Amino acid sequence: MFTLPALVGCGGTDEPPPAGTNPAGNELLAPPPEGEGIQFKMTTKLKPGEEGEHCMFVKAPAEDIYAQRDEVRYSKGSHHFLLYETSYTEIPTERADGTPIEPGAVFDCSDGATNGWDVTKLVGGSQNAVGSSMLSFPDGVAMHVRAGAVLLMNAHYINASTEVIEPEVRINLWTIPKEEVQQEGDILFMYNPFIHIGMASESRARMRCKAQKDITIQNVQSHMHARGTGYEALLVGGQTFYTSDTWENVPVKDFGEGLQVKAGEWLDYSCNYQNNEKREVFQGPRSTDEMCMLIGSFYPADFATAHCSLDPANPYETSGLGAEWVGNGNATCAETFACVQAGLGKGTKEGFNEVMKCVEASDEAVSKEMSDALRCVLTNTDPQAACKTEFAACLAK
């Protein structure tokens, strides 16, 4: 069994301070007034030329809160910021593998912010140093953050200067009283683990995910790294609902009254890339890697839809496995799967990189059969016995 890699307008009655205003003085972002929300902040340090994902644990208030929107500001040096909720009730002192961390201190998480931690959902974040963030709901909708929850702050930093920098990030969660909440909201956080761009060439990563229940999408945005040249998101059989051609200061599209998506409809999104380097590029968290994500606030909350789960009854265990991965080449399903099996057989990072190349080279016309076979292999310890139907359908194409 193979594990997929882990993982990035305002609504409501009270509008936050306009971007750039600072009622409290010269600080990066003033906290919400008492009773209207909470602020978390993190400051770290980077040497000249250093890149890293830095993280820090903080605790939510002792009582449940309901966040209707977020507001994020970060100083020069960051590309994105994310805030996750975890299952912990106390701040951890070590990773799942026993690696110790100092409680309450900033630590390196460049192997993936969620790797080694029990993360349950994304709470907020931004890809804009000044501008729209991720969390945004209309009146009566808010995201529940449980009382005393341990939250994980994560920022991606690059110090392109010749001096040491100490970048800071702050996030405000603007809240509403529990009695005003009519529905709980969530954040779409769809991640494509199969990305390959050949040296000095163009490529595309594309993925489809099914809505498991009727939802309303309030806003949406893309996520790519520096090789990203174009992005499109649409409903299968419908019109495009979002496009972008930038990878930083990413535009956030607010749908006003909301984009309605029915249960069973598929969200289809793709990233186009131009790689000018003399090396291949694969999926991964660093700027030397690439990403392709669909992010957006929606309601009512549904983890299976938010994370493209295969089984709505077991959404956490099957997160990311409900996708259909669409290739960018002309290989048949049989050719693709022979390639996939060779890569998976190596059981190494290099082997999984080969799988990414296989998926990217497959023909769009065989995406369903290829994805069904690949998914079956990834979720079974004995695929030869469990996946006969999927293998037969793939070999026929």
Side-chain angles (χ1 to χ4, degrees):
M1 189 171 178
F2 205 95
T3 303
L4 289 178
L7 232 141
V8 4
C10 296
T13 55
D14 297 314
E15 293 298 321
T21 58
N22 196 354
N26 295 321
E27 59 185 329
L28 185 65
L29 175 66
E34 185 175 354
E36 295 183 31
I38 186 170
Q39 181 180 95
F40 300 101
K41 56 186 177 181
M42 178 173 73
T43 302
T44 189
K45 183 179 292 187
L46 278 85
K47 298 176 183 178
E50 184 180 1
E51 176 186 2
E53 296 265 347
H54 290 189
C55 292
M56 186 177 77
F57 286 108
V58 293
K59 287 204 73 172
E63 64 282 346
D64 290 341
I65 63 172
Y66 295 86
Q68 191 168 61
R69 60 181 180 267
D70 68 343
E71 185 181 15
V72 176
R73 296 291 181 268
Y74 48 76
S75 54
K76 186 176 181 180
S78 185
H79 164 52
H80 75 250
F81 169 77
L82 298 171
L83 180 68
Y84 298 95
E85 183 177 320
T86 74
S87 65
Y88 309 124
T89 55
E90 298 298 332
I91 291 177
T93 58
E94 61 180 32
R95 294 178 183 269
D97 64 2
T99 304
I101 67 163
E102 182 182 347
V106 177
F107 61 93
D108 185 82
C109 52
S110 297
D111 58 343
T114 62
N115 186 29
W117 308 112
D118 190 8
V119 168
T120 54
K121 66 181 179 183
L122 180 67
V123 174
S126 181
Q127 299 177 84
N128 300 291
V130 176
S132 299
S133 301
M134 294 178 182
L135 194 69
S136 176
F137 296 118
D139 293 349
V141 182
M143 175 179 285
H144 174 228
V145 178
R146 64 182 175 81
V150 173
L151 307 177
L152 177 62
M153 302 179 72
N154 161 241
H156 182 186
Y157 295 109
I158 302 174
N159 182 3
S161 76
T162 58
E163 305 291 335
V164 173
I165 63 171
E166 295 187 12
E168 179 184 10
V169 60
R170 298 190 182 197
I171 179 170
N172 287 346
L173 297 181
W174 295 80
T175 61
I176 59 174
K178 181 179 180 179
E179 55 269 22
E180 294 183 13
V181 180
Q182 300 169 19
Q183 292 191 82
E184 290 188 17
D186 205 343
I187 297 178
L188 295 171
F189 204 55
M190 297 177 177
Y191 186 96
N192 190 340
F194 300 108
I195 301 172
H196 167 253
I197 319 163
M199 64 177 70
S201 66
E202 298 179 348
S203 187
R204 183 191 66 184
R206 185 177 175 190
M207 190 172 92
R208 298 174 182 144
C209 290
K210 182 168 64 174
Q212 300 293 344
K213 60 171 60 175
D214 291 356
I215 62 170
T216 299
I217 299 177
Q218 188 61 40
N219 68 16
V220 72
Q221 60 187 282
S222 59
H223 182 75
M224 305 179 288
H225 288 174
R227 296 158 206 83
T229 58
Y231 182 100
E232 180 182 29
L234 53 89
L235 288 173
V236 173
Q239 293 185 334
T240 296
F241 60 81
Y242 179 85
T243 60
S244 176
D245 60 3
T246 184
W247 67 278
E248 60 181 348
N249 296 318
V250 176
V252 180
K253 181 174 182 179
D254 189 285
F255 291 104
E257 296 298 316
L259 174 67
Q260 308 300 316
V261 181
K262 297 294 185 182
E265 288 190 291
W266 287 76
L267 298 164
D268 185 330
Y269 76 97
S270 59
C271 299
N272 294 326
Y273 306 103
Q274 173 64 55
N275 177 22
N276 297 321
E277 301 168 67
K278 294 181 179 179
R279 66 178 186 91
E280 296 176 293
V281 175
F282 297 92
Q283 172 275 139
R286 301 181 70 85
S287 64
T288 51
D289 308 314
E290 264 303 337
M291 285 188 176
C292 186
M293 298 182 66
L294 174 63
I295 302 170
S297 295
F298 76 99
Y299 59 94
D302 180 53
F303 185 94
T305 297
H307 296 271
C308 202
S309 299
L310 174 62
D311 182 2
N314 296 287
Y316 293 93
E317 296 82 354
T318 62
S319 174
L321 291 168
E324 181 177 311
W325 301 287
V326 183
N328 191 43
N330 54 23
T332 66
C333 193
E335 292 168 339
T336 300
F337 213 71
C339 176
V340 165
Q341 288 179 308
L344 291 177
K346 296 181 179 180
T348 62
K349 177 182 178 180
E350 290 71 23
F352 193 73
N353 284 350
E354 290 185 18
V355 173
M356 295 186 214
K357 294 171 70 172
C358 303
V359 173
E360 189 265 338
S362 65
D363 194 306
E364 176 183 345
V366 303
S367 60
K368 182 183 185 306
E369 292 78 11
M370 182 272 294
S371 298
D372 288 346
L374 177 55
R375 182 184 305 110
C376 192
V377 169
L378 295 174
T379 56
N380 286 280
T381 55
D382 185 7
Q384 294 302 322
C387 305
K388 292 179 180 178
T389 299
E390 290 80 3
F391 288 171
C394 183
L395 291 172
K397 296 196 73 170

